[in-house]
Amino acid sequence: DANAAAGSLLFSHYSRTRTPTAFGLALVLLALALWVTASLAGIPFLPEILVRLAQITGLSFSELLTLEGMFATALLLVPTLLFGAGLPMAIGIISRVLGQVGRDVGGVYLANTFGAICGSVLTGFVLIPVWGTQTALLIGLAANFLLAGVGLFRFGANVWQRAIGLTATALAAIVAFSQPSWPAIVFDSG
């Protein structure tokens, strides 16, 4: 994906002046969780936004599709950039700690590929059919908050970093999991 590649490129530029840390990776995971939380809150408004876009006078069908594509790209840009930055961060951290670059990079890529395949299959064939899209997203979000919280607590340089990181993670998780269910009638109406 081009956005993930852009995230890797941005991280490579950033890593020239700073060494990747596990705490930094936890912050990336927290930023991802915050973006997904905001996105989940905005999803119920998407049908109305799309209807309003379609009602713009003088807008051709191809222009409408272009606007919708730009809207979807904007919504997905931040998480794909963060995912793109996360993989090279993990590789940099593992390589620095273990010291065997070739084998370590291969192991990180293997784990990433295996996780992506398993996550796709599990989500598409189990989570969404059994619990629905919103719950499937919340399950993934819960895993992300858990990883971010553990990373912030474990790798914070001092008590303040740990406390602020855990507080931000807990508050964001409370907001994420207190959102109302999506209105099924809106999504089922097409």
Side-chain angles (χ1 to χ4, degrees):
D1 177 66
N3 290 341
S8 294
L9 181 66
L10 288 172
F11 172 74
S12 71
H13 179 69
Y14 171 82
S15 67
R16 290 180 190 149
T17 59
R18 295 186 150 183
T19 304
T21 65
F23 185 75
L25 182 58
L27 288 175
V28 168
L29 291 174
L30 179 59
L32 177 63
L34 292 172
W35 183 264
V36 171
T37 298
S39 298
L40 287 175
I43 284 175
F45 301 103
L46 289 179
E48 182 180 338
I49 291 169
L50 294 177
V51 167
R52 291 189 186 268
L53 282 175
Q55 293 174 343
I56 297 174
T57 56
L59 196 64
S60 71
F61 183 68
S62 62
E63 290 170 334
L64 174 63
L65 289 179
T66 301
L67 280 174
E68 289 178 0
M70 289 169 51
F71 193 83
T73 300
L75 187 64
L76 296 174
L77 180 66
V78 171
T80 54
L81 286 174
L82 292 169
F83 275 128
L87 182 61
M89 281 183 87
I91 289 169
I93 294 163
I94 296 293
S95 296
R96 193 184 69 220
V97 171
L98 299 179
Q100 299 174 346
V101 176
R103 192 168 134 200
D104 300 334
V105 168
V108 172
Y109 270 108
L110 175 66
N112 182 62
T113 303
F114 183 73
I117 292 168
C118 290
S120 298
V121 170
L122 180 67
T123 301
F125 292 108
V126 177
L127 297 179
I128 291 176
V130 173
W131 290 303
T133 303
Q134 185 178 19
T135 302
L137 286 169
L138 288 173
I139 290 169
L141 187 58
N144 201 52
F145 275 124
L146 180 65
L147 287 172
V150 167
L152 292 169
F153 179 75
R154 172 71 176 87
F155 299 107
N158 55 49
V159 172
W160 290 108
Q161 276 187 350
R162 291 178 181 158
I164 291 170
L166 284 177
T167 302
T169 303
L171 290 174
I174 289 168
V175 169
F177 295 106
S178 65
Q179 294 180 27
S181 295
W182 294 340
I185 189 72
V186 174
F187 290 96
D188 292 342
S189 66

